Amino acid sequence: MTHGKPIRPYLRVLSCLALLLFSSLALAAGDIRKSPNDDNQYRYLELDNGLRAILVSDPEADKAAASLNVAVGSGDDPKGREGLSHFLEHMLFLGTEKYPEPGEYQQFIKSHGGSHNAFTAFQDTNYFFDVQAQFLEPALDRFAQQFSAPLFTPELVDRERNAVHSEFSAKQKDDGRRFYSVKKAVANPDHAFSQFAVGNLSTLENTEQNPLRPDLVEFWEDHYSADLMTLSVYGPQSLDELESMVRPKFGAIENRSLEQKAHPEPMFRSDDLPAKVTADAIKDVRSLTLSFPIPSQQDNYRTKPASYIANLLGHEGPGSLFDVLKRAGLADSLSAGLGMDTGDNATLEISMALTPEGLERQDEILPLVFDYIERIRQSGIGEDRFREMQQLATIDFRFREQGEPLHEAMRLAGQLQHYPADDILSAPWLMERYAPEQYRDILDRLAPDNLMVFVLAPEPQLEEPNTTQWYDAAWQMTELTPSEITTGAPEQLAAQLALPQPNPFVPENLGLVSGDTMAHPVQLGSQEGMEIWFARDTRFGTPKANVFVSLRTPAARASARSAVLTKVLVDAVNSNLNASSYAASLAGLDYSVYSHLRGITIRVGGYNDKLHTLLNRILLQVGDPLLTEQRFRIARQNLIDNLQNQAKNRPVEQTSEFVQTALIERAWSTDEKLAAAREITLDELRSFARNLLSEVDPVMLAHGNVTESYALNLARQVEAIVLDDSRLAEVPRSQVRQLPEEETEVSLAVDHPDTGYTLYMQGDNTSFAERARYRLLGQIISSPFYEEIRTNRQLGYIVYATPFEMLETPALGFVVQSPSATQTEIDRAVREFSEGFESVLSGMTEERLTQEKQAVISKLLEQDRQLGDISGRYWREIDRGMETFNSREQLAEAVKNVTRQDLLDTFRKSVLERDQALRVVTGGNGLEADRALGTLTELPPVPAS
């Protein structure tokens, strides 16, 4: 993510002119460069108060959205009040002069089919929501009030401190957050990045001697100003209608004539470079990051020199740095790109996940990196490479598909802080000219004396460790010399390094097939027992397609050991494919090979021109995978690490995971899989691979810019390469086990200071009527549950009530993670809330019930905006055997028919009486996990009706 100063001197001049000129400025929005595939209309505005806005009119949209970005973040926190910007983000949701009730905004958005949230970054705070399109104006009125007239109610100020502290506490054992605290500890202490950013009860102290509210109000007044705000509003309304909503509502925000805070200080002190920082990880993770300070790249967005260099450094094709490290068994992943960019300074970072051997040989990896940098310096700068990157960026922009309104609004509000209005849509894809002088300037900074190395590993044996202030993360910094960084690369590995060859997957045929878009897939028959589904679809005007091939096999689900062997085999397949298929990912193709409860699935998507070539490569690997001792050891260790790390997840992740493991058929427990992973051998894997597809239940879907004959040809490829010697078998879908009538309580032993609580309340059957009742109940209860348990009782930061549907089995889930309450106290609070909510449900008017139904229906029938959304939905329907492809329409119709009495009956049985309920907590006196699994896994499945 990049951050920086907005470009606004020209706009400030305009803000002084008359309203008439604003109209001409709005008309100039015709100059905004957009994709030829983009039918939306755009208008740029600058209001009288200096707030800048981009309006998006999408007549087909069923959802509307808005996002407001403030050029203020944790980098603005005053000393001694670290986390204040984050705390302010929380407080703006909790009541305004016009809408004083603290939960009113949240309830309005939720009840009208929407969602909302915010985040605080180093230089930005972004607030956003979406809602059913017809309710955009009242939603905007509530949203705008948060920035023009917040209340900062004193009792809520004190209460919300606990929510921020809970958020801090929930991630105290999160390696990502702990490692981030180490990076802050070694940063230049004169740079604001070095400060604690989240906040807790200490930094947000609220006492008579040090009251918090005056500091909060002062910070808001000194930092939040209309001229530091950018807004994006997206909806089906016309641009004139959107403008008429925005001007009065957001024009009321005060312009305090502020400038965004600059951060001219270097991220690292020059005297500290070069150095290596080693940090202790809680989980079994091993990473190596090379961080090079470079100048800000924000002004170079038209030429993107950092992207040019990062494209070469992060390449994964044959001979690349990553390919050499991976084949040597030293690294599992590698990425390169910009780190933080403040507008004054930035970093370019190369990050890799290491194997255990790679961690031991990290001193050999560093010089190998510099060998590769030298190759780029000598031979990597060329106009042909630039032209290829430019061509691919141009194609991607030409055929860009629209995202969800919420994501589009967030993206545009953020980008308006950094790009001129006429470039706001095209800026991420611009590569206007070959700029070798800029590429070389970046390379000059990738020097051994301008480097901070970060290593994250479990138990790294630190001699004199420091610990970070708030996360107790152990770390140590050691000096490096340029010579030890650049010498010692293994000659055998260095000799394998090579720069990328021209990309053979650049699409050439970008035309659309003839014929109308089909309403849904049709079955083309069964070829050698394989179901073949086909749907031509060019509704988005893009020459793209998605192909799914599921190889469902009884061998993959026979036992926990089978599941483990399948996962290790898939790892080998993906590893073998990586180098030869990476070019395809750069050229707009993507793929995944993954294991699941019924076997293995291959998915390939993107530009259809060379999709068949990529699919062929994948099928050859699946049909005859290369299984080496080295890759087997790495894959098995990775799996063991991942399984062991699950015991170190956050408490609510573990409680919710237990529900799924206990109730889904053939979802083997972590302990069962861990025991199997430790025992399997390479010979066993090879034998398993030979026999995996001896019995198979195959199915394929081809969807998008393809013809029927193309789909049949792909099916013939599948048959010839992977199914030639297979026998047909039926592999039924897994089901969910039915809980006994009385509540079952399970206690997990979790090493975490917070308490985890998941209450899963299961429906009687999988009918559409039953699913509709639980969907609607989850919709209605969600906001009140959050308001009571989190906002009023302050039991934790992670608090939610949600439909907990698994494999079409309806359920309701209450989830709480608390830093202060025991599981008994949480459960008491949940029961008290439930008892009080019965009267709310009983008194609900028909008008309110209809509104909540419409909110559920609008989510179920939400407009498809990308080909992949439709492909995924079709594939899920095929998986569940719904050949009419209308599950969501049937469920929406069932929601319409739910009565208030239906809801009350379901609520009383499921929530009050807790029939068929499973309560999983950390601590407590329930069944131990192993005993509970032994009991629960013997239960019969939930019936269909």
Side-chain angles (χ1 to χ4, degrees):
M1 186 185 301
T2 59
H3 308 275
K5 296 178 182 176
I7 303 169
R8 57 165 74 93
Y10 170 65
L11 303 178
R12 285 240 170 83
V13 174
L14 285 176
S15 68
C16 300
L17 301 180
L19 182 61
L20 179 61
L21 189 54
F22 279 115
S23 300
S24 65
L25 178 61
L27 291 175
D31 296 333
I32 296 176
R33 287 184 283 184
K34 66 177 187 175
S35 165
N37 203 45
D38 186 351
D39 294 328
N40 294 344
Q41 292 182 302
Y42 298 86
R43 179 176 294 172
Y44 170 75
L45 305 173
E46 183 171 352
L47 306 188
D48 291 327
N49 59 1
L51 183 146
R52 292 167 295 137
I54 186 85
L55 311 180
V56 187
S57 175
D58 174 2
E60 303 300 317
D62 54 356
K63 276 282 183 76
S67 173
L68 188 141
N69 190 284
V70 191
V72 175
S74 61
D76 296 84
D77 288 346
K79 293 282 187 182
R81 280 298 192 195
E82 292 83 2
L84 192 58
S85 58
H86 179 213
F87 182 61
L88 174 58
E89 170 221 305
H90 278 237
M91 287 303 304
L92 289 188
F93 288 121
L94 300 179
T96 64
E97 290 181 8
K98 186 173 181 180
Y99 303 98
E101 287 300 314
E104 202 278 343
Y105 168 68
Q106 292 91 326
Q107 182 63 59
F108 181 88
I109 295 295
K110 182 72 176 177
S111 294
H112 294 91
S115 61
H116 73 91
N117 214 326
F119 65 83
T120 302
F122 181 66
Q123 289 181 290
D124 298 273
T125 305
N126 192 287
Y127 303 81
F128 49 90
F129 74 86
D130 66 357
V131 73
Q132 292 172 52
Q134 65 268 36
F135 298 103
L136 174 60
E137 183 159 20
L140 280 177
D141 193 46
R142 289 161 171 79
F143 189 60
Q145 285 285 317
Q146 296 171 3
F147 307 101
S148 60
L151 287 180
F152 303 128
T153 307
E155 57 267 28
L156 292 177
V157 168
D158 191 58
R159 208 156 61 189
E160 197 62 20
R161 295 169 60 238
N162 294 293
V164 171
H165 182 81
S166 295
E167 182 175 354
F168 157 71
S169 176
K171 295 190 176 181
Q172 274 193 290
K173 292 204 169 188
D174 178 271
D175 276 324
R177 190 61 62 87
R178 286 162 50 85
F179 195 31
Y180 198 53
S181 75
V182 171
K183 291 183 176 181
K184 285 177 171 290
V186 301
N188 182 351
D190 294 330
H191 197 293
F193 175 74
S194 64
Q195 292 188 158
F196 177 48
V198 179
N200 58 25
L201 290 177
S202 297
T203 65
L204 301 175
E205 178 186 349
N206 188 30
T207 61
E208 290 185 10
Q209 297 75 26
N210 190 20
L212 179 57
R213 188 176 185 276
D215 291 348
L216 175 67
V217 174
E218 181 182 5
F219 183 84
W220 174 66
E221 292 175 340
D222 290 348
H223 291 83
Y224 270 45
S225 175
D227 59 347
L228 292 182
M229 297 179 180
T230 50
L231 172 70
S232 175
V233 179
Y234 188 114
Q237 296 84 353
S238 71
L239 291 173
D240 287 343
E241 289 176 291
L242 293 173
E243 184 173 351
S244 69
M245 296 180 196
V246 165
R247 282 196 179 276
K249 293 175 174 59
F250 293 89
I253 300 171
E254 185 176 351
N255 181 357
R256 299 181 173 116
S257 300
L258 302 178
E259 293 284 343
Q260 184 180 19
K261 181 179 178 179
H263 297 277
E265 306 86 0
M267 182 70 70
F268 306 114
R269 293 175 295 197
S270 58
D271 291 348
D272 288 340
L273 303 178
K276 179 170 71 173
V277 177
T278 304
D280 181 29
I282 292 175
K283 291 186 175 182
D284 291 313
V285 293
R286 295 163 293 274
S287 68
L288 173 68
T289 300
L290 287 74
S291 184
F292 298 93
I294 64 172
S296 170
Q297 296 298 300
Q298 290 184 12
D299 291 340
N300 294 331
Y301 73 91
R302 292 176 180 273
T303 50
K304 297 184 174 57
S307 295
Y308 180 97
I309 299 301
N311 180 285
L312 295 174
L313 288 170
H315 207 278
E316 298 180 19
S320 65
L321 174 63
F322 175 62
D323 180 50
V324 171
L325 291 171
K326 188 177 182 73
R327 284 190 287 109
L330 303 180
D332 261 336
S333 67
L334 184 148
S335 62
L338 276 177
M340 179 180 289
D341 190 332
T342 66
D344 291 290
N345 297 288
T347 58
L348 190 143
E349 301 192 343
I350 305 170
S351 300
M352 55 193 85
L354 302 180
T355 64
E357 184 179 355
L359 183 65
E360 292 178 7
R361 297 172 60 185
Q362 58 183 277
D363 292 341
E364 297 176 22
I365 294 175
L366 292 177
L368 201 65
V369 172
F370 280 94
D371 276 9
Y372 198 64
I373 290 172
E374 185 59 30
R375 284 180 183 265
I376 295 172
R377 186 177 286 113
Q378 296 298 325
S379 309
I381 297 177
E383 192 161 0
D384 287 348
R385 296 187 192 282
F386 164 77
R387 294 295 174 205
E388 183 178 280
M389 293 180 196
Q390 183 187 51
Q391 180 185 4
L392 292 173
T394 300
I395 292 172
D396 279 348
F397 184 62
R398 163 68 182 86
F399 295 109
R400 181 178 182 268
E401 293 179 281
Q402 290 295 315
E404 300 289 336
L406 180 62
H407 298 147
E408 292 293 303
M410 291 173 63
R411 181 178 65 86
L412 292 174
Q415 289 181 184
L416 196 53
Q417 290 282 358
H418 305 295
Y419 304 128
D422 55 351
D423 286 340
I424 188 173
L425 300 178
S426 59
W429 290 269
L430 288 178
M431 294 191 77
E432 290 189 343
R433 67 175 179 86
Y434 178 56
E437 73 288 351
Q438 294 182 353
Y439 311 151
R440 294 194 184 280
D441 182 62
I442 297 284
L443 285 169
D444 287 344
R445 315 281 176 158
L446 307 188
D449 60 354
N450 185 48
L451 170 65
M452 186 69 81
V453 178
F454 292 95
V455 177
L456 177 66
E459 300 178 357
Q461 297 181 338
L462 306 177
E463 294 177 2
E464 297 180 3
N466 303 286
T467 55
T468 58
Q469 181 178 4
W470 299 112
Y471 291 90
D472 291 325
W475 63 277
Q476 182 173 300
M477 184 162 71
T478 55
E479 294 182 5
L480 296 174
T481 64
S483 61
E484 65 183 308
I485 294 172
T486 55
T487 57
E491 292 183 10
Q492 182 184 4
L493 299 185
Q496 299 173 34
L497 293 172
L499 294 171
Q501 296 297 307
N503 193 328
F505 285 96
V506 175
E508 299 170 75
N509 179 4
L510 296 169
L512 299 179
V513 299
S514 60
D516 295 336
T517 291
M518 296 166 60
H520 57 73
V522 296
Q523 190 172 352
L524 300 182
S526 178
Q527 185 169 296
E528 300 297 329
M530 179 168 65
E531 287 183 23
I532 305 165
W533 292 90
F534 161 72
R536 181 179 54 253
D537 194 334
T538 55
R539 74 186 75 183
F540 299 114
T542 57
K544 296 181 179 180
N546 290 295
V547 175
F548 294 79
V549 179
S550 185
L551 304 172
R552 304 180 298 208
T553 168
R557 60 191 290 166
S559 64
R561 199 178 189 94
S562 300
V564 163
L565 287 164
T566 305
K567 192 169 283 291
V568 173
L569 178 62
V570 166
D571 176 279
V573 169
N574 282 313
S575 178
N576 295 339
L577 285 168
N578 192 79
S580 63
S581 303
Y582 180 73
S585 68
L586 295 178
L589 284 166
D590 63 274
Y591 73 94
S592 59
V593 182
Y594 58 93
S595 61
H596 49 80
L597 291 171
R598 299 170 85 181
I600 293 174
T601 289
I602 301 163
R603 185 197 61 78
V604 184
Y607 298 112
N608 59 276
D609 181 37
K610 298 179 180 177
L611 185 150
H612 63 284
T613 304
L614 178 58
L615 179 60
N616 185 266
R617 291 189 182 186
I618 297 170
L619 291 171
L620 288 170
Q621 267 301 321
V622 171
D624 186 20
L626 175 65
L627 302 173
T628 66
E629 178 69 38
Q630 180 195 75
R631 191 63 219 171
F632 169 73
R633 282 190 287 102
I634 292 171
R636 184 178 63 176
Q637 187 60 52
N638 286 344
L639 180 56
I640 290 171
D641 288 347
N642 290 336
L643 291 169
Q644 290 179 155
N645 286 340
Q646 289 182 18
K648 301 170 186 176
N649 286 339
R650 288 182 296 180
V652 290
E653 291 177 307
Q654 296 193 52
T655 54
S656 296
E657 174 67 25
F658 181 88
V659 172
Q660 298 175 60
T661 300
L663 297 184
I664 297 176
E665 292 176 345
R666 298 181 180 85
W668 311 103
S669 73
T670 298
D671 286 345
E672 289 173 311
K673 290 184 287 188
L674 193 55
R678 287 173 172 150
E679 294 174 355
I680 60 171
T681 65
L682 177 58
D683 287 341
E684 185 180 4
L685 179 64
R686 286 172 173 162
S687 175
F688 181 80
R690 286 191 297 270
N691 296 301
L692 177 65
L693 300 180
S694 59
E695 290 186 303
V696 69
D697 181 7
V699 60
M700 187 189 95
L701 167 68
H703 171 237
N705 189 49
V706 291
T707 63
E708 184 175 321
S709 61
Y710 182 91
L712 290 170
N713 282 334
L714 292 182
R716 281 189 279 270
Q717 275 193 52
V718 175
E719 167 64 26
I721 298 173
V722 299
L723 300 178
D724 196 31
D725 297 322
S726 301
R727 299 185 305 276
L728 291 179
E730 185 177 352
V731 183
R733 204 159 178 255
S734 289
Q735 294 177 280
V736 174
R737 300 179 177 103
Q738 187 171 40
L739 287 166
E741 289 188 6
E742 69 279 1
E743 181 183 17
T744 304
E745 183 184 350
V746 178
S747 298
L748 305 183
V750 174
D751 181 17
H752 195 286
D754 288 8
T755 300
Y757 175 100
T758 296
L759 177 61
Y760 168 88
M761 296 155 280
Q762 189 180 73
D764 286 338
N765 56 67
T766 62
S767 68
F768 284 109
E770 184 80 343
R771 291 170 63 193
R773 287 189 281 270
Y774 278 83
R775 285 286 183 104
L776 185 55
L777 185 57
Q779 161 70 24
I780 293 170
I781 208 169
S782 174
S783 287
F785 182 83
Y786 179 89
E787 179 73 10
E788 177 62 20
I789 303 300
R790 182 192 179 280
T791 304
N792 294 337
R793 296 188 184 237
Q794 287 293 313
L795 289 187
Y797 171 72
I798 302 173
V799 173
Y800 56 92
T802 183
F804 203 133
E805 189 170 293
M806 301 184 297
L807 300 177
E808 292 78 60
T809 298
L812 184 66
F814 291 163
V815 179
V816 181
Q817 181 169 315
S818 177
S820 56
T822 65
Q823 61 87 21
T824 302
E825 291 168 332
I826 296 172
D827 193 57
R828 185 185 307 122
V830 169
R831 288 184 185 276
E832 289 172 359
F833 162 80
S834 302
E835 290 162 4
F837 191 73
E838 183 180 15
S839 61
V840 175
L841 207 55
S842 299
M844 181 171 287
T845 65
E846 283 301 318
E847 180 183 9
R848 169 73 188 283
L849 181 59
T850 300
Q851 175 184 298
E852 298 289 1
K853 286 182 182 180
Q854 189 52 46
V856 174
I857 292 168
S858 72
K859 290 179 182 177
L860 286 170
L861 303 181
E862 197 164 318
Q863 178 187 16
D864 295 311
R865 307 187 67 84
Q866 297 185 354
L867 187 71
D869 297 337
I870 303 170
S871 301
R873 179 159 51 81
Y874 287 162
W875 187 240
R876 289 188 295 274
E877 293 280 58
I878 290 169
D879 179 62
R880 61 173 70 107
M882 182 59 69
E883 297 184 1
T884 54
F885 295 92
N886 67 345
S887 287
R888 61 179 189 165
E889 287 80 8
Q890 289 194 56
L891 186 53
E893 186 63 30
V895 170
K896 285 183 186 177
N897 296 328
V898 176
T899 67
R900 185 174 58 183
Q901 190 59 49
D902 290 335
L903 278 180
L904 276 168
D905 291 344
T906 299
F907 177 80
R908 287 166 179 156
K909 170 190 170 297
S910 193
V911 180
L912 291 182
E913 298 170 16
R914 296 192 181 179
D915 284 354
Q916 295 169 203
L918 173 60
R919 175 159 42 113
V920 187
V921 300
T922 60
N925 300 310
L927 287 171
E928 293 179 356
D930 289 344
R931 286 185 58 206
L933 283 174
T935 301
L936 295 171
T937 53
E938 296 299 319
L939 296 171
V942 174
S945 59

